[in-house]
Amino acid sequence: MSDGQHTQARERILAAASELMAKAGIEGTSIRDVCTAAGVTPPTVYHYFQDKKGLLDAVVADGFERYLAEKRNRANSDDPVEDLRRGWNGHVEFGLRHPTLYGLMYGGARTTQHPAAAEGERILRHIVSRISQAGLLRMPVDDAVQIIHAATVGATLLLITSAHSPGMDGLSDRTREAVLASVLVAAHAEIEDLSVAARNVLMLLARTREMPLSQGELAIFRELLGRLSDSTSTM
């Protein structure tokens, strides 16, 4: 058998195993089922994967490769926070498209992190580091990465297992924005929040008798705050 035929046989086995597991689950998929679907004999499967655990690990590695290919092809924009939102959405969408595979990759079926998951974490860390460099992160990069990763995986698994339960509609978006609010500085608030803050400062200025600003500086400051406070109606 040529190298190309070896590769084709291995890919057929992986594809068959992934499809069968998606339909019947891990326990419902046997080596014999995989052999029948892939058109190979049991010794061929054992040759490439040794046993069912080896086959499962290969399916997970193949899943991570597909997942990471999507992330690698996603170009960075000028806004790292929006890149983080896109990364979150892509992660959740992948899990919902491949629920059984995602369970193998991140769920309780695994007791240790697959080595390929480290690349996904590096991609996330790069985005979070850009956010930190922009002065928009309120905590160390390592802490933010752990929080974001845990929340993304948790939300995805919950949507997979309880998609039709009350309160699931919009769960990913709500969780994402709550996490962003916890890791980003308040200066990255939406424009509505900025206009409210500007109006609050104007009211504080009106009640403050002594200011460490000259009359000219104070006039300019008030003018700028006034513009910001009206920003929702002009933008």
Side-chain angles (χ1 to χ4, degrees):
M1 188 181 289
S2 67
D3 289 343
Q5 289 174 318
H6 275 294
T7 301
Q8 291 176 4
R10 189 178 188 279
E11 289 178 351
R12 284 205 315 275
I13 295 168
L14 281 175
S18 296
E19 185 175 350
L20 287 169
M21 289 175 190
K23 293 178 179 178
I26 300 170
E27 298 302 324
T29 301
S30 67
I31 293 293
R32 186 175 298 277
D33 295 332
V34 173
C35 291
T36 300
V40 299
T41 60
T44 303
V45 175
Y46 294 127
H47 168 73
Y48 289 114
F49 306 105
Q50 295 186 340
D51 53 23
K52 187 174 180 179
K53 181 182 180 304
L55 179 58
L56 287 175
D57 286 341
V59 168
V60 170
D62 184 64
F64 269 113
E65 183 56 37
R66 281 190 274 164
Y67 167 70
L68 291 170
E70 295 181 8
K71 282 191 168 291
R72 296 184 195 115
N73 293 332
R74 207 174 286 142
N76 290 331
S77 73
D78 294 332
D79 187 342
V81 176
E82 283 307 308
D83 289 343
L84 181 57
R85 282 191 173 94
R86 288 168 56 211
W88 176 295
N89 294 344
H91 183 106
V92 174
E93 289 164 7
F94 180 89
L96 296 180
R97 287 200 311 271
H98 310 284
T100 302
L101 178 59
Y102 189 88
L104 282 171
M105 293 165 60
Y106 290 105
R110 302 198 63 81
T111 56
T112 58
Q113 185 184 55
H114 194 280
E119 184 179 349
E121 184 174 316
R122 283 195 298 272
I123 293 172
L124 172 59
R125 184 177 299 278
H126 175 68
I127 296 173
V128 175
S129 295
R130 289 175 59 219
I131 293 173
S132 179
Q133 290 164 10
L136 301 175
L137 202 65
R138 68 163 73 224
M139 62 182 65
V141 170
D142 286 348
D143 293 350
V145 167
Q146 290 177 356
I147 290 170
I148 294 165
H149 176 70
T152 312
V153 172
T156 306
L157 289 172
L158 188 58
L159 284 168
I160 288 172
T161 58
S162 308
H164 302 296
S165 298
M168 290 297 106
D169 188 35
L171 174 74
S172 176
D173 290 348
R174 292 197 307 274
T175 306
R176 182 195 64 217
E177 294 309 309
V179 170
L180 290 182
S182 72
V183 302
L184 299 181
V185 296
H188 198 66
E190 296 293 334
I191 191 67
E192 290 83 2
D193 295 331
L194 182 60
S195 64
V196 170
R199 286 193 291 272
N200 289 338
V201 174
L202 280 171
M203 287 188 291
L204 285 172
L205 285 176
R207 296 199 300 265
T208 302
R209 295 183 178 180
E210 295 184 7
M211 290 289 299
L213 298 172
S214 68
Q215 289 299 317
E217 291 170 336
L218 188 57
I220 294 172
F221 189 36
R222 281 177 172 150
E223 181 183 355
L224 293 174
L225 288 171
R227 292 179 186 178
L228 288 174
S229 67
D230 295 333
S231 58
T232 53
S233 59
T234 59
M235 294 189 66

